[in-house]
Amino acid sequence: MDKVVATALEAVADVPEGASLAVGGFGLSGVPNVLIQALFERGVSGLRVVSNNCGAMDSGLAVLLAAGRIARVTGSYIGANKEFARQYLAGELEVEMIPQGTLAERLRAGGAGIPAFYTPAGVGTQVADGGLPWRYDGSGGVAVASPPKEVREFDGTEYVLERGIRTDFALVRAWKGDRHGNLVFNKSSRNFNPLAAMAGRVTVAEVEELVEPGEIEPDAVHLPGIFVQRVIALTAEQAADKRIEQRTVSS
């Protein structure tokens, strides 16, 4: 039951070339930077990543992206990541952009054993009709486009069929966790981390504070340990290393 491993490198040692990864985080909040850095140091490439966004400010998944280690991204937000946009438009990266709520539910559904579900989000657009550019050819043309999806009517309203997502591995970051893998997330870091963790067949969690089993109240657990296979405890320095995406001040 003790799922703690000694180092981040040990925790991701069996992630192979071309693996699919669900990665938690929301902007710069709750990003498993230590595990991502360990993957970078291992030199793994051809990764197929599912994440809300693909890193920012040279941190998070941006580290792997800039090194050319990511082959495909399923996400909902490019934001200010100029390298992400450059690789996508140059045809170097395949990108499946989907509505943010749909991404969240596809991850949750996959983790819950639900193969597919219907949602109204995207009906009447290329999300349902197909034709969204997944990969460009480098000359402004579309090399690979999204296929059309099944649309069905329920009680007079049309819904599009979306598939649940399962990945080989998941990397997440929690505020607190115990040796059994029970996790607690802080504020907006809870947006995608629990869902990513559910979707992974092997889930690795880096935790800012490691506690003994029983120290987390059962009602306070955000993600039960059944979804987590490995835990690494961050150092105080690693836990405190948090960046601000956009700093604003008032007069």
Side-chain angles (χ1 to χ4, degrees), residues 56-103:
M57 296 171 58
D58 302 321
S59 68
L61 287 169
V63 173
L64 296 172
L65 185 75
R69 307 283 181 77
I70 298 177
R72 192 180 196 276
V73 175
T74 300
S76 65
Y77 183 69
I78 292 179
N81 192 326
K82 294 181 179 180
E83 178 60 16
F84 188 178
R86 187 201 67 76
Q87 289 189 25
Y88 175 41
L89 295 174
E92 300 171 10
L93 182 70
E94 187 169 298
V95 178
E96 180 183 1
M97 297 295 291
I98 54 179
Q100 192 170 78
T102 300
L103 174 63

Side-chain angles (χ1 to χ4, degrees), residues 116-199:
F117 60 92
Y118 287 97
T119 174
V123 171
T125 73
Q126 286 181 305
V127 170
D129 300 339
L132 283 172
W134 278 2
R135 182 185 290 276
Y136 286 99
D137 61 7
S139 301
V142 177
V144 181
S146 65
K149 299 174 181 176
E150 178 186 336
V151 175
R152 183 174 174 183
E153 185 177 302
F154 294 91
D155 300 322
T157 301
E158 289 188 325
Y159 297 81
V160 58
L161 184 69
E162 294 282 1
R163 298 287 302 271
I165 292 175
R166 289 286 279 163
T167 58
D168 301 324
F169 291 84
L171 308 180
V172 300
R173 178 171 180 144
W175 168 55
K176 184 182 292 186
D178 66 21
R179 293 180 178 274
H180 291 174
N182 299 302
L183 303 179
V184 180
F185 303 93
N186 190 27
K187 300 183 173 64
S188 59
S189 67
R190 190 179 175 186
N191 287 2
F192 273 95
N193 269 304
L195 307 172
M198 291 174 67

